[in-house]
Amino acid sequence: MSSSWNSVPLHVSYEVLGWFAFVCWSISFWPQVILNFRRKSVVGLNFDFVLLNLTKHSSYLIYNASLYFSSAIQQQYRDKYGQKQMIPVAANDVAFSIHAVLLTAITLYQIAIYDRGSQKVSKITCGIVIVAWTAAAVCFFIALHNHHWLWLLSIFTTIQVSMTVIKYIPQAVMNFMRKSTDGWSIENILLDFSGGVANYAQMAMQSIDQSSWVNFYGNIGKLLLSLVSIFFDILFMIQHYVLYPERKCKPEASTDEAKSSDQHLAENV
């Protein structure tokens, strides 16, 4: 027996906030892609961030699609958290995940074809990605034996949260070392921040309506993703508008310095 909404206004607010977050998050991928295309360069964009981001969104897609489409997994969720609990994944979550994987893959392709200076993906990041997917594969075969699919989704939740926590660090460090955010789209950050706040509010609407906070701890991955992303979005806004605002007025100089910084970073990898 599935639960239903008790309040029409809260239900409408939930849907509006969900799709607002979807639009903000989806559009947030485009400014970086457009910036790379116009510059014919990815100098200033950290490659470790992009690869970790692809791993994160791929894991998030597996989680959302599985919980949204699989009746077996939905039943396991209700068996654990209560038969009246609503599934904490909406259609916009699945749509966003699909779009995110595609756009991140396009960004990775741009890295392969555009001027990238001397930067390359670090061995540490390659190792992290290999370990993450190897662990996921092992857990899949374990879950296959006992049909513990909800447990398997918790593994993908761990992967996506871990990727979210670490993926921003390389870009933040690069901005710090270059003393510039040139090549890194601030529009991406502003849209991501708006989407994160809307997503958090969406979860609150459902919890208020159901008079239960299971929506939060039953979908801890979604909650942590929002909080971690908002934290780093604020950090990037501080870097762009407060710490290094003057650099965005000197595109030619900053590009040369970025290449020099990339050379320095590559030598340290």
Side-chain angles (χ1 to χ4, degrees):
M1 173 178 159
S2 60
S3 58
S4 59
W5 287 87
N6 299 311
S7 169
V8 173
L10 286 175
H11 188 190
V12 172
S13 298
Y14 174 87
E15 294 295 339
V16 171
L17 286 168
W19 285 105
F20 177 78
F22 164 72
V23 170
C24 288
W25 276 341
S26 297
I27 295 176
S28 73
F29 289 88
W30 287 96
Q32 187 67 58
V33 171
I34 294 172
L35 180 63
N36 295 341
F37 174 76
R38 288 177 175 174
R39 297 168 69 229
K40 296 298 186 292
S41 171
V42 290
V43 173
L45 172 64
N46 189 275
F47 302 166
D48 291 349
F49 164 78
V50 178
L51 185 57
L52 293 170
N53 205 26
L54 182 60
T55 301
K56 175 250 178 171
H57 285 301
S58 297
S59 301
Y60 197 38
L61 173 58
I62 292 172
Y63 174 89
N64 284 333
S66 299
L67 191 52
Y68 186 77
F69 290 109
S70 173
S71 57
I73 296 177
Q74 291 175 3
Q75 186 57 51
Q76 289 182 15
Y77 180 89
R78 293 192 175 101
D79 288 342
K80 181 176 181 179
Y81 295 108
Q83 295 300 316
K84 294 185 178 181
Q85 293 302 322
M86 299 178 70
I87 299 303
V89 174
N92 59 273
D93 293 316
V94 179
F96 163 74
S97 297
I98 294 173
H99 182 269
V101 170
L102 290 176
L103 266 292
T104 307
I106 290 174
T107 305
L108 201 60
Y109 175 70
Q110 289 181 317
I111 289 175
I113 65 174
Y114 290 152
D115 175 30
R116 55 183 177 273
S118 57
Q119 188 190 169
K120 58 184 179 181
V121 177
S122 71
K123 295 178 181 178
I124 293 177
T125 294
C126 289
I128 291 173
V129 171
I130 291 173
V131 169
W133 287 112
T134 299
V138 171
C139 291
F140 170 78
F141 287 107
I142 294 175
L144 185 63
H145 177 68
N146 296 313
H147 297 100
H148 291 166
W149 303 121
L150 191 62
W151 169 79
L152 179 61
L153 289 192
S154 72
I155 300 302
F156 282 105
T157 294
T158 300
I159 292 175
Q160 61 176 295
V161 171
S162 299
M163 293 301 108
T164 301
V165 170
I166 65 177
K167 73 174 185 175
Y168 293 106
I169 296 176
Q171 186 68 57
V173 172
M174 174 180 276
N175 293 346
F176 171 75
M177 294 188 67
R178 296 172 63 221
K179 298 297 184 289
S180 171
T181 57
D182 288 320
W184 173 242
S185 173
I186 190 61
E187 291 81 9
N188 164 27
I189 298 305
L190 296 176
L191 288 165
D192 187 63
F193 177 79
S194 299
V197 172
N199 177 69
Y200 192 76
Q202 182 194 31
M203 295 176 71
M205 292 298 102
Q206 183 173 329
S207 294
I208 293 171
D209 180 83
Q210 300 294 302
S211 299
S212 169
W213 296 100
V214 170
N215 179 48
F216 281 85
Y217 60 78
N219 193 8
I220 192 67
K222 190 175 182 180
L223 174 63
L224 292 179
L225 287 173
S226 296
L227 295 178
V228 171
S229 295
I230 287 174
F231 169 79
F232 277 102
D233 287 339
I234 293 174
L235 174 61
F236 286 126
M237 284 188 279
I238 292 175
Q239 285 185 321
H240 184 83
Y241 291 112
V242 179
L243 298 179
Y244 319 124
E246 75 284 353
R247 308 295 271 188
K248 61 179 184 288
C249 298
K250 304 175 182 179
E252 294 183 2
S254 60
T255 299
D256 292 337
E257 291 174 12
K259 292 182 178 180
S260 175
S261 176
D262 289 345
Q263 176 67 43
H264 177 68
L265 289 170
E267 292 174 353
N268 289 335
V269 173

